[in-house]
Amino acid sequence: MRPVQILRLLLGAVPLVATLALVPGAVDAQATEPGGRPAPVVVTVPAARPPERPATSKPVCTPKPGRATCQSLVRTDLPAVRSLTPGSLPAGYGPPHIRRIYQLPFGGGGRTVAIVSAFHYPTAEADLAEYRRTYGLPPCTTANGCFDQVYATGVQPPVDAGWALESAIDIEAVSASCPRCRIVLVEAASDVIGDLLNAVTVARTGVPGVFPPAKFISMSWGDGENPVQPVIDPTYFDFPGVAFVASSGNTGGVPDWPALSKFVTAAGGTRINEVANPVPGPQRTRPRPYYETAWSGSGSGCTQFQPKPVWQADTICPTTRTSVDVSALADPTTGISIYTTTPTPDNQTGWLIAGGTSVASPLIAGIYAQAGNPGPNDRPNSYPYANRRFFWDINVGTAGAFSAGLGYDAPTGVGSPRGVRGFRR
């Protein structure tokens, strides 16, 4: 595969700063989506909360000047679990919980979600197989055409422990939100912004004979704002009919790029709370026991340089783009379960619990895919704004100086998914 040419001179001129247990084969129960549309599939599942103890976490990737940072966090108070008792599920939220929390169907067949990450993840296919086997999901392998691992330059990148864990989080989170989607892991040569953007182009255009152009692209990485970004955005993200999704950052009220691009859906973060009784407010009718609040670490706020999209009418940032657009699980305290046999930066392998908006981005990309291919001339990041009643409005919590409230807000956008209807025209 030939590398895609990028604006290296431009990028170099201005650095980008930085209460039935689910078993395989269990039948999902039907629910009714608002508006009388075909019901999404929901399940009643066992609680996934980890043991009650003070939760601590740390970034998976170490920030480096002039390079992108992956937006994932891993729990440090819970050691990795090498193996599970037969028939048991790991701590943390998994596919059955994600389907229940967001009222998702068990679909996505025929659609491709591309994950753009950096460096090489050597045990990707084997780890994905174990994750999906544990949760009773259909096999997703290179042999059956469901999984592909592609080097953006055609040459295998070196292994990086942090980015390998990031890639594990991404492909397994997509499996949770879109269990029948085809998954393509596109590995950039490094975490340099130019290399990652090259990989974005490979994901969008596809590789003949390997995988088709992806209509759904997740980017769980970011960098600080820079005035060059609006100049280069059209080259990489101005493509109608493609749903680009990016993590909003783990910066607690400070926005991050490329989520800030007006062509990208910015995925912010929430905390999952389990409550026995309905909570007054806009989430009072959602399936028990789940209730979401804004995650304090969610990157959000006003861009300095990006113009405001025409479909975004908030007054939080009157003249510039506001981040975020939508939100999903990100608080590592209530994070998702992840499996990896590539040693982590702390030299752990097995089942871990992860969070950060790196989780929210692939979850949202998978939900876009379940909703169906975007119209060829559509801007998919405008869909949530036109379909706000298909989101759970989150009105509790803060991120930096920004607070969640009724209606659109910076930490959670229009809210979290209520089925898939909010992600199509």
Side-chain angles (χ1 to χ4, degrees):
M1 173 174 44
R2 295 167 55 190
V4 179
Q5 296 299 315
I6 63 170
L7 301 177
R8 295 190 181 275
L9 293 177
L10 183 56
L11 289 171
V14 185
L16 303 179
V17 183
T19 299
L20 174 69
L22 182 76
V23 296
V27 178
D28 293 324
Q30 291 283 23
T32 301
E33 190 173 73
R37 295 204 168 248
V41 179
V42 297
V43 291
T44 302
V45 296
R49 300 176 69 180
E52 292 292 343
R53 64 179 71 184
T56 58
S57 62
K58 63 185 294 185
V60 166
C61 297
T62 302
K64 300 172 186 175
R67 300 193 174 213
T69 302
C70 72
Q71 305 288 5
S72 53
L73 302 167
V74 64
R75 288 279 294 267
T76 55
D77 57 303
L78 299 174
V81 176
R82 292 288 186 90
S83 61
L84 303 172
T85 303
S88 67
L89 294 179
Y93 291 110
H97 309 100
I98 296 302
R99 294 200 302 275
R100 173 69 173 175
I101 291 166
Y102 297 123
Q103 297 183 279
L104 303 177
F106 197 96
R111 293 171 198 130
T112 300
V113 177
I115 298 296
V116 174
S117 192
F119 299 107
H120 183 50
Y121 174 21
T123 60
E125 185 170 4
D127 293 347
L128 181 63
E130 178 62 16
Y131 177 88
R132 294 176 71 98
R133 183 199 65 77
T134 298
Y135 284 109
L137 301 181
C140 188
T141 67
T142 54
N144 68 12
C146 176
F147 178 72
D148 286 294
Q149 189 170 9
V150 175
Y151 312 140
T153 64
V155 177
Q156 180 179 301
V159 176
D160 178 276
W163 281 91
L165 180 53
E166 173 61 59
S167 296
I169 293 169
D170 291 340
I171 62 176
E172 292 169 14
V174 168
S175 292
S177 65
C178 192
R180 298 191 184 279
C181 276
R182 181 177 187 174
I183 301 171
V184 179
L185 174 60
V186 182
E187 297 181 336
S190 76
D191 54 1
V192 171
I193 293 292
D195 286 338
L196 284 160
L197 291 175
N198 175 45
V200 170
T201 300
V202 171
R204 178 182 57 79
T205 58
V207 178
V210 180
F211 74 96
K215 298 295 184 183
F216 313 96
I217 299 174
S218 176
M219 302 170 287
S220 289
W221 42 269
D223 196 9
E225 276 203 89
N226 187 287
V228 168
Q229 291 157 358
V231 178
I232 65 174
D233 280 353
T235 300
Y236 299 99
F237 307 125
D238 185 8
F239 295 94
V242 179
F244 295 96
V245 186
S247 304
S248 71
N250 303 334
T251 45
V254 178
D256 217 345
W257 178 89
L260 279 173
S261 170
K262 68 177 183 178
F263 306 114
V264 174
T265 299
T270 68
R271 176 189 175 95
I272 305 296
N273 305 277
E274 295 186 22
V275 294
N277 299 310
V279 176
Q283 296 183 65
R284 64 188 178 277
T285 61
R286 76 182 297 170
R288 299 268 71 78
Y290 304 113
Y291 175 79
E292 285 176 282
T293 55
W295 176 47
S296 61
S298 183
S300 58
C302 303
T303 174
Q304 300 179 63
F305 310 112
Q306 298 278 356
K308 201 170 194 67
V310 295
W311 51 83
Q312 195 177 62
D314 66 277
T315 58
I316 300 168
C317 312
T319 60
T320 60
R321 168 133 161 74
T322 307
S323 179
V324 301
D325 299 311
V326 298
S327 53
L329 184 159
D331 189 337
T333 302
T334 61
I336 63 171
S337 55
I338 293 298
Y339 182 79
T340 181
T341 55
T342 295
T344 71
D346 291 334
N347 202 34
Q348 296 195 80
T349 59
W351 291 96
L352 301 158
I353 295 179
T357 53
S358 273
V359 172
S361 180
L363 287 178
I364 294 297
I367 298 173
Y368 262 114
Q370 286 238 52
N373 287 332
N377 299 312
D378 288 357
R379 299 290 182 178
N381 54 334
S382 71
Y383 290 165
Y385 291 87
N387 296 292
R388 297 192 187 192
R389 65 195 179 102
F390 297 105
F391 291 84
W392 296 110
D393 187 4
I394 299 169
N395 66 326
V396 176
T398 61
F402 300 94
S403 298
L406 291 174
Y408 177 89
D409 56 66
T412 65
V414 300
S416 67
R418 188 182 186 183
V420 305
R421 180 61 184 84
F423 294 89
R424 58 176 177 248
R425 190 191 306 180

